[in-house]
């Protein structure tokens, strides 16, 4: 049996002269190995370059940019960033995503303040008609839930960046919309 596509190391793997692992990592800059048949003779030459390093550096950022960061929950983003961290990879894109999440979450106190100020302003001006006036506001559902005490002060009902950005926009707070 001859197999590849799973690097066995810089030297081929031979078990009982019947099993041959010949993927010796040419794309990673190690060796290109073949098995001559019917002689079952291994031949191997050094790789000319680490091709994976070049491809990875060219494609890592574009591929990471295609992930739906804004619609993922904050918890999903944290898990995804952790799972993609690799000491061999450039962490710049993941660092930007993490920084973006930190910036968005850091805006929560300001958004909470704005929301409370709008609740007070509408309550003072609309009185008994608060519900109708709040519903007409771009942040209507948040205002109504905040006044009713049904909005978590920790996340303001926003489990994803997209929801947080919608609230910020409704309250005229500018936040970065794109992590990368």
């Amino acid at each position: 049996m001859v197999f590849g596509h799973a690097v066995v190391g810089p030297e081929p793997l031979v078990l009982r002269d019947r099993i041959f692992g010949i993927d010796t990592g040419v794309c990673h800059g190690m060796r290109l190995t073949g098995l001559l048949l019917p002689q079952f003779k291994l031949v191997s030459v050094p790789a000319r370059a680490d091709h994976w390093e070049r491809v990875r550096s060219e494609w890592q950022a574009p591929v990471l940019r295609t992930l739906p960061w804004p619609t993922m929950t904050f918890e999903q983003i944290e898990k995804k960033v952790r799972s993609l961290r690799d000491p061999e990879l450039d962490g710049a894109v993941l660092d930007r995503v993490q920084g973006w999440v930190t910036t968005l979450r850091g805006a929560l106190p300001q958004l909470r303040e704005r929301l409370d100020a709008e609740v007070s302003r509408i309550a003072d001006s609309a009185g008994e008609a608060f519900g109708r006036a709040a519903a007409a506001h771009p942040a209507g559902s948040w205002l109504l839930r905040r006044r009713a005490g049904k909005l978590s002060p920790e996340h303001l009902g926003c489990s994803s960046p997209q929801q947080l950005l919608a609230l910020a926009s409704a309250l005229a707070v500018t936040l970065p919309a794109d992590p990368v």
Side-chain angles (χ1 to χ4, degrees), residues 113-154:
E113 243 176 62
R114 284 272 180 102
L115 202 55
D116 290 342
E118 279 300 292
V119 166
S120 295
R121 185 188 67 75
I122 294 170
D124 291 346
S125 65
E128 293 295 318
F130 176 87
R132 193 172 318 120
H137 191 284
S141 69
W142 285 286
L143 294 166
L144 292 167
R145 287 182 287 155
R146 184 71 172 162
R147 186 167 192 224
K150 296 182 178 180
L151 198 61
S152 164
E154 287 79 35

Side-chain angles (χ1 to χ4, degrees), residues 19-172:
I19 301 170
F20 299 87
I22 62 169
D23 188 338
T24 50
V26 70
C27 77
H28 299 287
M30 289 191 277
R31 300 189 65 79
L32 174 63
T33 300
L35 182 65
L36 297 176
L37 298 175
Q39 303 92 330
F40 289 91
K41 179 182 177 191
L42 290 164
V43 292
S44 185
V45 296
R48 291 186 183 151
D50 185 340
H51 304 285
W52 176 239
E53 177 63 34
R54 180 184 54 79
V55 169
R56 184 176 54 205
S57 66
E58 289 175 9
W59 289 99
Q60 178 193 12
V63 167
L64 290 176
R65 284 187 186 100
T66 66
L67 293 176
W69 300 111
T71 58
M72 298 167 94
T73 66
F74 287 108
E75 183 178 285
Q76 288 170 330
I77 292 171
E78 288 173 4
K79 278 180 158 178
K80 181 59 93 176
V81 167
R82 272 195 313 273
S83 75
L84 292 173
R85 288 272 182 214
D86 183 334
E88 291 184 17
L89 297 176
D90 177 13
V93 174
L94 296 176
D95 291 343
R96 284 197 300 273
V97 170
Q98 195 64 56
W100 176 66
V101 166
T102 301
T103 298
L104 295 181
R105 285 187 158 165
L108 281 165
Q110 178 189 9
L111 294 174
R112 198 169 29 254
E113 243 176 62
R114 284 272 180 102
L115 202 55
D116 290 342
E118 279 300 292
V119 166
S120 295
R121 185 188 67 75
I122 294 170
D124 291 346
S125 65
E128 293 295 318
F130 176 87
R132 193 172 318 120
H137 191 284
S141 69
W142 285 286
L143 294 166
L144 292 167
R145 287 182 287 155
R146 184 71 172 162
R147 186 167 192 224
K150 296 182 178 180
L151 198 61
S152 164
E154 287 79 35
H155 56 72
L156 299 176
C158 301
S159 63
S160 73
Q162 187 174 51
Q163 293 169 341
L164 192 67
L165 290 165
L167 174 59
S169 176
L171 294 172

